[in-house]
Amino acid sequence: MSKQSSDHLFDLIKSLTKSEKRYFRLLSQQQNESKAKYMQLFDFLEQKENYSAADLEGITFIKDSQISNMKAHLMQKILQALRQFESAKNSEIHIREMIDYVQILYNRGLFRQAFDILKKAYKKVAKTGNLELKLELLKWEKNLLNQSVGSQYSQNVQRVISEVEDANSKINLINQFTNLAVKLNAIYVKTGYIRNDEHLKEVQNLFYEGLPQHEEDELSIHEKLSLYRLYVNYYYFLEDMEVGYQYALKWLKLYDKHPDLKNSQLNDYLSAVNQVMIAEYKLFYYHNFLKSRQRLHNLNEQMQNSVNENIRNRLIKYVYVHEFNRIFMLGKFNLGVKLLKRLSPDLEAFIQRSDEHSRIILFYKIACLYFGDSQYHKALEWLNRVQQDEKADLREDIHSFARILSLIAHYELGNMEVIDYYIRSTYRFLLKKGELHLFQKYIMRFLRKLAGEFREEELIPEFKKLLNNLEPLQDIRYEKRSFIYFDIIAWLESKIMGKSVQERIQERAREKMR
């Protein structure tokens, strides 16, 4: 087994909960294998905090020539145990297990017993709504019908054929919706929001050419869930948050009408809650946001001990991300920094578990928290992490605005000697990425001017000039998105009024609430 696979084995062992480890050991005892070499290897790796290939050199209970095979054997044993452990809690795993039983009984010619299990599996699959599993059950029912011709044979055959055609039709439509959503997301993850007419036309053409013919009222629940998710992605991408929010609410309300679906599609349900909260944050629907926040906190409390590691991590991620968003809405950056300090022991581990896209967003949000709290050195540390990220072609918009915010942080720190160098570097980057808009030009021109010899009494008029230049941009389609990343209007107003940016954002928040 390769070094990378060995790392995967160690990561798998470290991901196990106490109850899963206990179950794995109990299973080995039941199989009289508690003293087996693979269990000794398990105990050895389970006790280690960190892993390197050298750790296995010189162990006495396994020969060097056996290590590779023993790792593979241990990996298989753990996965088999987890499959059994999850079977009782995860309906879809249980259904697949039942399908395996149907196949075993069919191969033995025990058709009646196979059909009894098949009927039970149908009841379970009806609750989950998993169409792929339903197709698998229908395949086995066809096989069994061929072995048990009876008085209702023709009617049963016709029913199965009709259900297969219906399931295939639904699967095909859902796949078209989800394929289109994946294509849109691939563009968004690379570029960020729509940047110009050409970009808009590209996205619109992709969407309308790929959107299949459908009648929304005639769609099944699962087709509607896929459709609403697609529409949310599309309208958020276009920054039409109002329309996107309406589809996010329809998506969430569909789950509220069918509570059984929440447990079988918990990942998707969490995504619906998250998308509703994103719109409420960006539209500043603060009171709606608080209601959704309460729903999220209730979910986190109810499910922390009853869900898998992936969903548990997503719940924690959404709870903290939206707590930071609430802090951004209110402008209480000092509270955000306190929360960060409380999280700091686990923050790096959380970052490592996050995907690359989430990491870049997290780095930028943390930088903004520190900037809002006037901790410009700390803000630069996190902005540098955005800029040093290997995936500079990922979320080009955030990379661009990280550079703009870095320039402003250097100005706040009085690092005038480096401003000109960073302006030229930022200018080249923005030009290369096609991100050089009026917003960026005005700010860089302003900072370059201030980096020269400038009297203190001339500062306020210059801040006012920049404010007058930027305010009209809030009503221009491809310029107004710039204000999503950093509230520069509040920053300028704070300079003019002689206040901290935190104070000014808090004042603006109170005005919005009124």
Side-chain angles (χ1 to χ4, degrees):
M1 188 174 279
S2 68
K3 183 181 182 301
Q4 187 180 24
S5 296
S6 300
D7 293 340
H8 290 170
L9 171 61
F10 182 74
D11 290 342
L12 175 62
I13 291 171
K14 287 301 175 184
S15 76
L16 299 177
T17 63
K18 288 182 180 179
S19 56
E20 288 167 344
K21 290 174 188 174
R22 187 165 56 248
Y23 182 81
F24 181 59
R25 288 193 170 97
L26 183 63
L27 211 58
S28 69
Q29 288 172 8
Q30 291 171 349
Q31 296 166 351
N32 294 319
E33 293 180 343
S34 57
K35 303 294 184 184
K37 288 181 180 178
Y38 79 84
M39 282 304 300
Q40 293 181 56
L41 179 60
F42 173 80
D43 291 333
F44 177 80
L45 292 174
E46 193 268 330
Q47 290 168 15
K48 299 198 73 63
E49 288 298 321
N50 299 294
Y51 172 83
S52 70
D55 290 334
L56 295 180
E57 293 175 4
I59 56 174
T60 57
F61 55 88
I62 304 173
K63 294 179 182 177
D64 289 347
S65 59
Q66 295 177 321
I67 287 176
S68 180
N69 287 336
M70 194 57 64
K71 288 174 184 171
H73 185 57
L74 175 56
M75 174 76 87
Q76 185 180 28
K77 283 286 190 179
I78 293 172
L79 290 174
Q80 286 172 347
L82 286 175
R83 187 178 189 273
Q84 285 181 244
F85 185 79
E86 290 288 332
S87 169
K89 299 184 291 182
N90 189 309
S91 296
E92 293 187 352
I93 291 176
H94 191 204
I95 293 164
R96 290 189 192 98
E97 192 174 52
M98 295 171 86
I99 291 170
D100 291 342
Y101 296 157
V102 169
Q103 182 172 2
I104 290 167
L105 293 168
Y106 178 88
N107 291 343
R108 290 175 175 271
L110 301 172
F111 305 127
R112 287 184 180 178
Q113 293 91 324
F115 197 74
D116 284 344
I117 292 177
L118 194 69
K119 286 193 290 186
K120 292 174 184 176
Y122 268 128
K123 289 179 182 177
K124 284 189 171 292
V125 92
K127 291 181 179 179
T128 67
N130 188 311
L131 293 167
E132 286 81 5
L133 286 177
K134 184 177 182 180
L135 270 183
E136 187 71 12
L137 294 176
L138 288 165
K139 181 194 84 172
W140 282 106
E141 186 172 1
K142 280 190 282 187
N143 291 340
L144 289 168
L145 284 172
N146 288 333
Q147 304 297 328
S148 55
V149 176
S151 57
Q152 294 185 318
Y153 177 73
S154 297
Q155 296 95 309
N156 285 333
V157 166
Q158 191 54 50
R159 174 184 54 78
V160 169
I161 291 171
S162 177
E163 288 188 32
V164 167
E165 289 174 349
D166 179 65
N168 272 324
S169 173
K170 287 182 169 65
I171 288 170
N172 182 50
L173 192 58
I174 289 170
N175 280 336
Q176 289 182 75
F177 290 148
T178 54
N179 288 347
L180 184 52
V182 167
K183 288 178 183 177
L184 285 171
N185 192 58
I187 300 173
Y188 172 72
V189 165
K190 183 180 186 300
T191 65
Y193 293 109
I194 300 295
R195 48 172 69 157
N196 51 43
D197 283 333
E198 185 182 351
H199 193 196
L200 174 65
K201 190 175 180 181
E202 175 196 349
V203 171
Q204 287 177 329
N205 287 344
L206 173 68
F207 182 75
Y208 287 110
E209 287 172 9
L211 187 65
Q213 289 289 327
H214 64 275
E215 291 292 335
E216 185 179 330
D217 293 340
E218 296 175 9
L219 298 180
S220 67
I221 295 167
H222 294 87
E223 289 167 310
K224 285 180 180 178
L225 290 171
S226 298
L227 178 65
Y228 297 156
R229 183 171 195 155
L230 170 61
Y231 272 127
V232 168
N233 289 347
Y234 175 65
Y235 284 110
Y236 283 10
F237 195 174
L238 267 55
E239 293 178 84
D240 192 341
M241 300 305 295
E242 286 282 7
V243 176
Y245 182 48
Q246 295 310 312
Y247 278 108
L249 288 174
K250 289 175 80 170
W251 181 11
L252 187 56
K253 284 174 184 174
L254 205 53
Y255 276 114
D256 289 339
K257 286 180 185 176
H258 303 276
D260 285 348
L261 284 176
K262 289 181 185 179
N263 293 328
S264 63
Q265 297 191 17
L266 194 50
N267 257 316
D268 195 65
Y269 173 58
L270 283 177
S271 293
V273 175
N274 179 50
Q275 294 297 341
V276 165
M277 294 185 74
I278 286 172
E280 289 167 346
Y281 160 59
K282 291 190 175 178
L283 293 167
F284 208 95
Y285 293 166
Y286 186 69
H287 298 295
N288 290 357
F289 180 88
L290 289 183
K291 290 177 185 176
S292 299
R293 175 175 172 262
Q294 189 59 52
R295 180 199 288 257
L296 186 62
H297 280 265
N298 290 343
L299 276 171
N300 190 40
E301 289 176 11
Q302 293 164 10
M303 297 183 174
Q304 264 302 310
N305 298 319
S306 60
V307 294
N308 60 49
E309 192 68 17
N310 177 43
I311 291 174
R312 192 178 296 114
N313 286 337
R314 286 190 71 191
L315 273 166
I316 294 169
K317 171 186 166 182
Y318 290 153
V319 165
Y320 284 115
V321 164
H322 289 298
E323 187 58 24
F324 288 138
N325 285 342
R326 188 182 73 85
I327 287 163
F328 277 117
M329 291 168 87
L330 298 177
K332 295 184 177 180
F333 301 104
N334 56 327
L335 295 182
V337 169
K338 286 179 183 176
L339 180 58
L340 272 177
K341 287 178 181 175
R342 202 161 73 241
L343 291 174
S344 60
D346 304 314
L347 187 58
E348 285 302 326
F350 179 76
I351 288 168
Q352 291 306 313
R353 290 199 303 270
S354 301
D355 62 271
E356 292 163 334
H357 184 214
S358 298
R359 277 204 300 272
I360 289 172
I361 294 170
L362 184 62
F363 293 162
Y364 189 77
K365 278 188 175 289
I366 291 173
C368 288
L369 279 174
Y370 280 116
F371 189 100
D373 197 38
S374 302
Q375 296 191 41
Y376 304 113
H377 281 296
K378 293 293 290 183
L380 281 171
E381 285 179 23
W382 288 93
L383 290 168
N384 288 338
R385 292 186 73 169
V386 175
Q387 294 171 58
Q388 290 163 5
D389 194 278
E390 295 175 2
K391 297 277 186 181
D393 60 340
L394 190 68
R395 286 306 299 269
E396 292 171 354
D397 56 338
I398 289 180
H399 278 278
S400 300
F401 280 90
R403 281 162 171 77
I404 293 292
L405 195 58
S406 291
L407 280 171
I408 298 172
H410 278 297
Y411 166 76
E412 286 283 15
L413 289 167
N415 299 336
M416 298 306 182
E417 69 281 1
V418 300
I419 289 280
D420 197 56
Y421 166 78
Y422 281 118
I423 285 174
R424 280 186 271 114
S425 171
T426 301
Y427 184 88
R428 286 193 299 270
F429 180 87
L430 296 175
L431 207 59
K432 179 182 174 184
K433 296 296 181 183
E435 282 283 349
L436 194 59
H437 297 281
L438 283 173
F439 179 92
Q440 289 90 335
K441 288 179 182 176
Y442 284 143
I443 292 172
M444 287 192 288
R445 191 185 304 157
F446 164 79
L447 291 171
R448 176 172 281 139
K449 191 174 182 180
L450 262 59
E453 291 186 13
F454 224 80
R455 292 196 303 273
E456 189 70 25
E457 62 268 21
E458 294 175 322
L459 281 175
I460 299 300
E462 289 301 320
F463 283 123
K464 287 181 178 177
K465 282 180 191 175
L466 180 59
L467 182 62
N468 291 335
N469 283 332
L470 292 181
E471 280 186 322
L473 301 185
Q474 295 177 96
D475 299 319
I476 299 174
R477 175 162 198 161
Y478 303 121
E479 296 288 347
K480 68 180 181 181
R481 73 184 181 91
S482 303
F483 300 91
I484 294 172
Y485 305 95
F486 168 60
D487 192 348
I488 192 162
I489 299 296
W491 178 72
L492 287 168
E493 289 175 343
S494 72
K495 292 295 178 187
I496 294 165
M497 296 175 179
K499 300 178 177 181
S500 71
V501 67
Q502 180 167 239
E503 287 174 314
R504 183 57 193 140
I505 290 176
Q506 287 177 11
E507 288 174 355
R508 284 162 64 92
R510 287 193 290 271
E511 289 164 11
K512 287 178 184 177
M513 286 185 195
R514 285 199 296 269

